[in-house]
Every structure is written in C-alpha cells, then in structure tokens.
Amino acid sequence: MSVLNLLPALSRLSVHTTFCVRNISACSNPLFFRISSVLLGEPLKRKKRMDPAIIRAREERRKRKIEKQIRRLQKQAKQLKPVSELEIESKLIDEKQQRLRKLPSISEEQKESRILLQKEWNKYKNKQHFNTIQAIDSISYSQQKALDELKAESEELYEEAIQIDIELLPHTAKGPLKTPPIENYDSPDGEYINTTRRFDGEE
C-alpha cells in the first residue's frame, strides 16, 4: 500500500483528532504513526512598555516603605519591656525622702581604722589561700611520687592503686522501679491559662 492511498484516511484521522493530535508522521521502513500529546501552548504576551519615571517612582516608594519599617523596628528595640516585679509603687516614690536613713557621720580616726582593718583582713585571707594551695600541691606531688615508685616496683599493684575505691562512700539506695496505678486519679490534660503580657510591636 502506497502513501498516496493512505492520504484520505489520514485526512479523516486528522479531522477527528483535532484536539488530541499534535503531529502525525508516516515513515517508511518501518511504517508507523507517532502521536504526541496536546501541549495547549499559548503565545507569549507582549510586554507593555512603561515609562522609566513610573518604574523609578515605584522603586523609590518601595524603598521608603522598607526604610520606614526598619526605623520603626529600631525604635521599638530600644524600649525595654517593663517587669512587673521591678516596678516601684508611686506611693513609695513619693515617700522616698521620708524613708531615707541619715547615717551618723564618723570621724577621720574611725575611717582610718576601718581602712587599716580591711587591709589586714585582705592580707590574712591572701596568706590563708596561699597556704592552702601550697598544701594541696605538696600532697599531689607526694602522691604522684609514691605512684611512680609503686609502678617501678610492680605494675599490678600500680593498677590496683589507681582504681576507684567504691567502698569510700558505701551508700547505696534502691527504690521501687514500678509503682501501682492510683485509683480514681484524675490525670491532667495539660490545659493552662496563658498569662504572658504582650506589648506593642510583638507578633
């Protein structure tokens, strides 16, 4: 059968398959039909030309809007949230002068004696700390020296000596691993009332 004899049939096929056939190709060696799906494409819309001044004005408006939002956020960042526990009652502020304690003035000799006493106390605590550190270093050095000598004598005794002494604190506690259920226990469902205060500017 030649290709010319197939043309009427191809024309009828193209009429009935207008909406589902993209293209039909009849090829020889071997003869087959190839049908592709409908893409339903649409030509691209032509872009409208806009005045560069209008585009520039839109960009400026967008830029000013973003800058305004940034300034508002920076202004709110400087405001500290009030803490109810640290707020002072206005009544106490009004009574500030009445509540102030007037300490008696001290003489120059008393000031000097207090300064000297503070200095003496500082010297005493500094010397006490130095003696404590020196004693700890001496004990650590003696312990390490004894371990080194023991290791040179016997490796097994050295390994036993450096083990943790479990009986140093012989306290052991063992409680119940499982507890029986409580009868008629009303299990909480996890509901709560949120009392967190919100301030302006929070999302």
Side-chain angles (χ1 to χ4, degrees):
M1 183 182 292
S2 63
V3 178
L4 295 176
N5 296 331
L6 291 173
L7 290 178
L10 290 176
S11 63
R12 289 194 300 271
L13 182 61
S14 63
V15 170
H16 291 294
T17 58
T18 303
F19 298 100
C20 61
V21 177
R22 182 69 174 178
N23 60 346
I24 300 175
S25 62
C27 302
S28 59
N29 195 20
L31 179 63
F32 67 94
F33 295 100
R34 184 175 60 194
I35 301 174
S36 63
S37 60
V38 179
L39 299 179
L40 299 177
E42 183 180 1
L44 298 176
K45 293 183 179 180
R46 188 176 181 180
K47 293 184 178 180
K48 297 181 181 180
R49 289 189 177 181
M50 297 182 63
D51 188 2
I54 297 176
I55 298 175
R56 195 180 307 111
R58 289 181 179 177
E59 294 294 333
E60 290 294 332
R61 277 201 304 272
R62 190 179 298 110
K63 184 178 179 181
R64 286 197 299 269
K65 186 177 179 181
I66 294 174
E67 290 177 351
K68 184 178 179 181
Q69 292 177 355
I70 292 174
R71 286 196 301 270
R72 187 173 70 248
L73 291 175
Q74 290 177 349
K75 184 178 179 181
Q76 292 178 356
K78 295 179 181 179
Q79 297 178 356
L80 299 178
K81 294 182 180 180
V83 182
S84 58
E85 290 82 1
L86 300 181
E87 292 180 354
I88 302 175
E89 298 180 3
S90 58
K91 180 181 178 180
L92 297 179
I93 296 176
D94 297 337
E95 297 177 355
K96 179 180 178 181
Q97 297 298 330
Q98 298 177 5
R99 293 175 176 270
L100 285 178
R101 296 182 180 180
K102 296 181 180 180
L103 299 176
S105 58
I106 57 177
S107 61
E108 293 295 332
E109 296 180 356
Q110 290 179 339
K111 291 181 180 180
E112 190 69 22
S113 63
R114 290 182 180 181
I115 293 173
L116 294 176
L117 182 61
Q118 185 68 30
K119 289 182 179 180
E120 291 294 331
W121 176 254
N122 292 336
K123 289 179 181 180
Y124 169 75
K125 296 301 292 183
N126 188 16
K127 186 177 180 181
Q128 185 183 19
H129 177 69
F130 178 76
N131 293 335
T132 304
I133 296 298
Q134 192 174 14
I136 293 174
D137 291 341
S138 177
I139 294 171
S140 300
Y141 175 75
S142 301
Q143 182 184 16
Q144 188 61 39
K145 185 177 179 180
L147 289 174
D148 293 339
E149 294 291 338
L150 182 61
K151 186 176 182 180
E153 290 292 333
S154 175
E155 189 74 24
E156 297 178 357
L157 295 177
Y158 172 77
E159 292 295 334
E160 293 181 2
I162 62 176
Q163 295 298 324
I164 299 175
D165 189 3
I166 302 177
E167 297 181 356
L168 184 62
L169 295 174
H171 175 70
T172 57
K174 184 177 180 181
L177 301 179
K178 293 183 179 180
T179 56
I182 302 175
E183 296 181 358
N184 300 326
Y185 176 69
D186 186 11
S187 177
D189 54 0
E191 294 182 358
Y192 66 97
I193 300 175
N194 189 6
T195 58
T196 304
R197 296 178 58 187
R198 301 185 64 83
F199 304 91
D200 295 336
E202 289 187 346
E203 294 182 355

